[in-house]
């Protein structure tokens, strides 16, 4: 270290002064020598002095050029070093960003796995904590929202039965514990439903809570008092789902294909003002109580094949833009299609109307097939407009062959 320091020691002030004095002395000596040799004033000597001055000027100019070249070289080297340092800095920053991203992804993955493990716990509080952790994780990480929705939906699809009657205090401890566990699981499932429904409405608070373009698959799930207001779904599947309690699906927009095949609605089901923008199937669905589709819009093909309406069914001011199929459907009580608009073909062969059937002021722009339909009690097509092929083959009203006056229906004012 000492040798290295002595080899790179800076010049002292004394050394610089001696060197400067030497240079001055050398310049004075050179001037004295040149004046002594050529300073006599002759023409030849003046010419020689002029030549020496010219050569000196050239030498000085060449030295300046060399100095300028060296300065340019140093500048180029400095700029190259600076560019290299900047490039290295960019690489280091990129590496740091990648490291931070990898660390963040590992952290998210760890949180996800931990939340899923909590969701599989046998303790209800742990499952609730897992649901809220997944909710927070999806809110903060939009690319993972669909995956987390799929996880929560899969949880709701797992088999579950509602708790029965309350267990008496004197019942066995195991029975009381089982009943308490069933009640806790009910709360967990309601929480899972609420997490999904809270994020599907575009107008929720300031819009930051809305999860767009979500597909929802709740096939086979037991859904408790499901309520969706003004929500938006990209695709929805409720095949063989059971809706217990009130089901309110009001003003929902279903953008993708929607399936309710084999679903059961144990209490009232409201689809008022909903919009189905693609095909929808309610084949073999069972409505145990009232079914309301007032002012609902079906853009694609709609199918209610073999559907069972145990109580009143209302399709007032409903619009069917695609084909509407009710083949084999059964309406146990009143069926109301007042002011319904069938823009395409309407197929109702084999439908059984157990009580009143009202098609007042309805519009059938395409073919309308009511073949082998069984009407009962009060039936009216007053004010209905038929445009396409109309068929009432083997249709009966209270067991008697029936063909309505579709070409000249009664005015609406004549109805009682």
């Amino acid at each position: 270290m000492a040798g290295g320091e002595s080899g790179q020691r800076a010049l002292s002030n004394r050394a610089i002064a001696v060197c400067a004095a030497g240079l001055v002395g050398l310049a004075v000596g050179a001037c004295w020598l040149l004046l002594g040799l050529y300073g006599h004033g002759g023409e030849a000597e003046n010419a020689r002095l002029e030549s020496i001055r010219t050569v000196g000027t050239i030498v000085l100019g060449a030295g300046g050029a060399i100095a300028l070249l060296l300065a340019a070289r140093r500048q180029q080297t400095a700029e190259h070093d600076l560019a290299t340092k900047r490039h290295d800095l960019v690489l280091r920053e990129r590496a740091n960003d990648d490291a931070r991203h990898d660390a963040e992804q590992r952290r998210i993955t760890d949180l996800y796995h931990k939340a899923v493990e909590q969701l599989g716990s046998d303790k209800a509080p742990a499952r609730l904590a897992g649901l809220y952790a997944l909710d927070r994780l999806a809110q903060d990480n939009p690319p993972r929202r669909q995956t987390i929705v799929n996880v929560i939906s899969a949880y709701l699809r797992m088999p579950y039965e509602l708790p029965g009657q309350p267990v008496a205090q004197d019942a066995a401890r195991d029975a009381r514990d089982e009943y308490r566990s069933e009640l806790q699981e009910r709360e967990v499932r309601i929480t899972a439903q609420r997490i999904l429904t809270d994020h599907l409405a575009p107008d929720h608070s300031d819009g930051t809570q809305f999860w767009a373009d979500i597909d929802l698959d709740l096939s086979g799930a037991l859904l408790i008092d499901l309520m969706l207001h003004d929500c938006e779904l990209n695709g929805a599947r409720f095949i063989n789902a059971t809706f217990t309690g009130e089901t309110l699906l009001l003003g929902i927009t279903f953008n993708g294909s929607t399936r309710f095949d084999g679903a059961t609605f144990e209490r009232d089901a409201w689809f008022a003002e909903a919009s189905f923008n693609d095909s929808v199937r309610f084949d073999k669905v069972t409505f145990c109580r009232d079914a309301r589709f007032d002012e609902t819009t079906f853009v694609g093909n709609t199918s209610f094949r073999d559907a069972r309406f145990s109580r009143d069914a209302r399709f007032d001011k409903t619009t069917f833009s695609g084909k509407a199929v009710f083949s084999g459907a059964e309406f146990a009580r009143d069926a109301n299609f007042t002011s319904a608009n069938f823009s395409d073909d309407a197929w109702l062969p084999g439908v059984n109307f157990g009580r009143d059937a009202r098609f007042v002021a309805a519009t059938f722009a395409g073919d309308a097939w009511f073949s082998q339909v069984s009407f009962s009690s009060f039936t009216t097509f007053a004010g209905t407009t038929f445009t396409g092929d109309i068929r009432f083959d083997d249709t009966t009203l209270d067991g008697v062959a029936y063909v309505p006056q579709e070409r000249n229906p009664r005015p609406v004012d004549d109805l009682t």
Side-chain angles (χ1 to χ4, degrees):
M1 179 64 69
E5 291 179 354
S6 62
Q8 298 178 1
R9 185 177 301 166
L11 293 175
S12 63
N13 293 333
R14 182 179 179 183
I16 294 175
V18 171
C19 291
L23 290 174
V24 171
L26 180 61
V28 172
C31 291
W32 177 77
L33 180 60
L34 290 173
L35 289 174
L37 293 174
Y38 306 107
H40 301 294
E43 275 186 32
E45 291 162 344
N46 290 337
R48 289 188 184 95
L49 284 175
E50 189 64 31
S51 298
I52 292 172
R53 188 165 43 251
T54 301
V55 172
T57 302
I58 294 173
V59 171
L60 289 175
I66 294 173
L68 183 60
L69 179 61
L70 291 175
R73 179 65 176 176
R74 283 195 299 271
Q75 179 67 22
Q76 184 181 11
T77 302
E79 291 177 354
H80 181 269
D81 292 342
L82 182 59
T84 302
K85 291 179 180 178
R86 288 177 177 173
H87 180 67
D88 293 341
L89 180 60
V90 170
L91 292 179
R92 285 196 298 271
E93 290 179 350
R94 187 176 301 169
N96 292 336
D97 290 340
D98 291 341
R100 283 193 294 269
H101 179 268
D102 292 342
E104 180 67 15
Q105 292 302 310
R106 285 194 298 270
R107 186 185 70 84
I108 293 174
T109 301
D110 291 342
L111 291 174
Y112 172 77
H113 287 305
K114 183 178 179 180
V116 171
E117 289 176 0
Q118 288 179 304
L119 199 58
S121 172
D122 58 352
K123 300 183 182 301
R127 296 197 295 276
L128 286 171
L131 284 172
Y132 286 121
L134 288 173
D135 180 21
R136 184 170 58 253
L137 193 60
Q139 182 61 30
D140 296 338
N141 299 274
R144 292 180 176 262
R145 288 176 181 173
Q146 183 62 62
T147 299
I148 291 174
V149 167
N150 293 343
V151 171
I152 297 176
S153 300
Y155 182 83
L156 290 172
R157 292 198 302 268
M158 296 176 64
Y160 172 69
E161 293 183 3
L162 290 173
Q165 296 297 322
V167 178
Q169 291 294 329
D170 57 352
R173 179 177 178 180
D174 290 344
R176 293 200 305 270
D177 290 344
E178 182 178 356
Y179 179 73
R180 186 181 300 109
S181 177
E182 290 174 348
L183 287 178
Q184 291 174 344
E185 174 60 12
R186 183 180 186 278
E187 293 303 314
V188 173
R189 287 176 171 265
I190 290 176
T191 300
Q193 289 180 194
R194 188 180 301 117
I195 288 174
L196 294 178
T197 57
D198 284 349
H199 293 290
L200 295 177
D203 295 334
H204 187 283
S205 64
D206 59 354
T208 59
Q209 300 293 319
F210 174 57
W211 297 352
D213 300 325
I214 293 296
D215 294 332
L216 195 62
D217 186 357
L218 292 172
S219 300
L222 176 64
L223 304 173
I224 306 168
D225 293 324
L226 183 65
M227 292 184 291
L228 291 169
H229 294 272
D230 302 316
C231 293
E232 185 172 341
L233 288 171
N234 193 44
R237 295 170 63 88
F238 296 93
I239 300 174
N240 296 324
T242 299
F243 297 82
T244 184
E246 299 291 339
T247 301
L248 302 178
L249 305 177
L250 307 177
I252 300 181
T253 299
F254 297 91
N255 289 322
S257 177
T258 306
R259 302 284 297 275
F260 284 90
D261 313 48
T264 299
F265 295 86
E266 295 184 350
R267 295 185 65 84
D268 293 348
W270 290 58
F271 288 84
E273 300 181 7
S275 295
F276 296 88
N277 294 331
D278 206 324
S279 62
V280 56
R281 294 178 64 176
F282 284 88
D283 297 343
K284 296 184 178 180
V285 68
T286 299
F287 295 96
C288 298
R289 300 288 293 272
D290 292 351
R292 302 290 298 270
F293 289 87
D294 310 66
E295 300 184 49
T296 297
T297 301
F298 295 94
V299 176
N301 293 335
T302 304
S303 177
F304 282 87
R305 287 188 178 91
D306 299 319
R308 296 293 177 266
F309 297 87
S310 302
R311 297 283 294 271
D312 294 346
R314 300 185 67 91
F315 290 86
D316 300 355
K317 298 181 181 179
T318 299
T319 299
F320 298 89
S321 297
K323 289 181 172 60
V325 181
F326 286 83
S327 305
E330 182 175 344
F331 295 87
R333 295 185 59 176
D334 294 349
N336 199 331
F337 288 85
T338 299
S339 299
N341 184 7
F342 297 85
S343 301
D344 206 324
D345 297 340
W347 306 92
L348 292 89
V351 175
N352 180 26
F353 292 93
R355 224 165 70 171
D356 294 354
R358 297 173 179 269
F359 289 86
V360 179
T363 300
F364 293 88
D367 297 342
W369 285 32
F370 288 84
S371 303
Q372 299 179 343
V373 171
S374 175
F375 290 106
S376 301
S377 188
F378 181 74
T379 300
T380 178
F381 285 83
T384 297
T385 301
F386 292 97
T387 302
D389 184 20
I390 309 163
R391 297 195 180 187
F392 283 85
D393 304 337
D394 300 324
T395 297
T396 62
L397 173 60
D398 292 330
V400 179
Y402 171 74
V403 177
Q405 297 179 351
E406 67 275 5
R407 296 299 182 186
N408 186 24
R410 289 180 297 167
V412 177
D413 293 339
D414 291 345
L415 294 178
T416 58

